[in-house]
């Protein structure tokens, strides 16, 4: 019995037209070498569970999304995120973030609240894929009404120990949120378009959904360079197509098209505050950089069309 599911259509737009960019066996070198090094550094790995699958990267002809055709099924997903990635090691990593990380997150959150134009205590916020609940704790510090959704039981228990209200996936559609945060989540989701449409159903009339994912704008050219799947190259610059985990690699175009399919439009959120002079300069220069390179950020704010 296979531990993998096959995605026959693009998970971001539904198109059945795609090109195969790369096909490698998980259990053969050099991909197996990379996986063993990567997971043993944060827990363990059982390569026998990967024998029934292949690492296949497809590029959608319609929206440009690069996605892994074969993805772990629910059982393998559980083993991957709860066993191979040891919860205690992952939690220690998140708790080690420095002041600059929190200041950057707080600055962005403050800008979104200003855009919403409401007092924080009147805002209802959801962190979808909350992990260890760091964003929830920061939003609660502003005075927002905060909820989280997470699949990992260890992460749920940790967030609850901080007093975070945790909802189930089914609970979401019963609510209306002014802000739905998804930080480094949609690259992991088997059905991202379906998920985004579901989140939209729980968005208030003038609410905002933030989607932030790794930027995969140069993935195709890097694959064509022939340097994949060399282990050190994965680690350095192809993290957007991390085997098993980053099963969807978005660029700005594919992210926006998925939003449009879900009935959402891009919303600009002005940067009123920044945590440092350097961050302020970056916030001014970044749009120019993206314009010159012919792409835009994969941190996008959506609202209803």
């Amino acid at each position: 019995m296979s531990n993998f599911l096959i995605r026959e259509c693009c998970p971001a737009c539904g198109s059945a037209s795609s090109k195969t960019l790369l096909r490698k066996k998980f259990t053969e070198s050099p991909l197996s070498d990379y996986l063993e090094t990567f997971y043993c550094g944060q827990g363990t790995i059982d390569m026998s569970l990967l024998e029934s699958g292949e690492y296949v990267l497809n590029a959608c002809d319609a929206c440009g999304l690069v996605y892994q055709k074969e993805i772990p099924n629910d059982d393998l997903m559980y083993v991957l995120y709860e066993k191979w990635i040891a919860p205690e090691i992952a939690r220690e990593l998140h708790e080690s973030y420095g002041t600059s990380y929190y200041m950057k997150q707080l600055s962005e959150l403050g800008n979104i609240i200003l855009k919403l134009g409401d007092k924080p205590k009147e805002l209802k916020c959801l962190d979808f894929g909350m992990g260890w609940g760091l964003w929830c704790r920061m939003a609660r510090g502003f005075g927002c009404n905060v909820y989280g959704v997470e699949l990992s039981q260890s992460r749920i228990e940790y967030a609850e120990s901080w007093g975070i209200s945790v909802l189930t996936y089914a609970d979401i559609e019963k609510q209306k949120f002014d802000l739905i945060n998804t930080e480094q989540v949609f690259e992991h989701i088997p059905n991202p378009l379906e998920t985004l449409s579901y989140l939209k159903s729980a968005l208030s009339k003038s609410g905002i959904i933030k989607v932030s994912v790794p930027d995969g704008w140069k993935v195709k050219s890097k694959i064509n360079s022939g340097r994949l799947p060399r282990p050190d190259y994965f680690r350095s610059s192809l993290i957007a197509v991390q085997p098993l985990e980053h099963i969807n690699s978005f660029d700005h175009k594919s992210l926006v098209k998925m939003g449009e399919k879900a009935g959402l439009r891009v919303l600009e959120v002005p940067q009123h505050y920044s945590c440092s002079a350097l961050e302020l300069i970056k916030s001014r220069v970044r749009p120019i950089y993206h314009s010159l390179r012919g792409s835009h950020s994969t941190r996008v704010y959506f609202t209803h069309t």
Side-chain angles (χ1 to χ4, degrees), residues 108 182 208-213 251-252 255-256 265-267 269 296-302:
E108 181 192 28
T182 72
I208 295 174
I209 298 178
K210 172 200 158 188
V211 179
S212 180
V213 293
D251 59 11
H252 182 77
L255 198 56
V256 170
R265 63 179 175 87
V266 175
L267 181 71
V269 176
H296 301 279
S297 173
T298 48
R299 171 173 294 178
V300 178
Y301 306 98
F302 291 109

Side-chain angles (χ1 to χ4, degrees), residues 246-302:
H246 292 176
I247 57 179
N248 312 305
S249 178
F250 294 91
D251 59 11
H252 182 77
K253 175 186 173 183
S254 56
L255 198 56
V256 170
K257 283 200 171 185
M258 182 177 70
E260 292 173 350
K261 280 276 187 178
L264 297 165
R265 63 179 175 87
V266 175
L267 181 71
E268 294 297 326
V269 176
Q271 302 300 299
H272 299 283
Y273 298 106
S274 189
C275 60
S276 67
L278 179 59
E279 286 298 325
L280 182 60
I281 293 172
K282 286 182 178 179
S283 71
R284 298 292 187 267
V285 172
R286 196 175 290 117
I288 300 173
Y289 167 69
H290 288 308
S291 176
L292 289 174
R293 80 177 196 182
S295 67
H296 301 279
S297 173
T298 48
R299 171 173 294 178
V300 178
Y301 306 98
F302 291 109

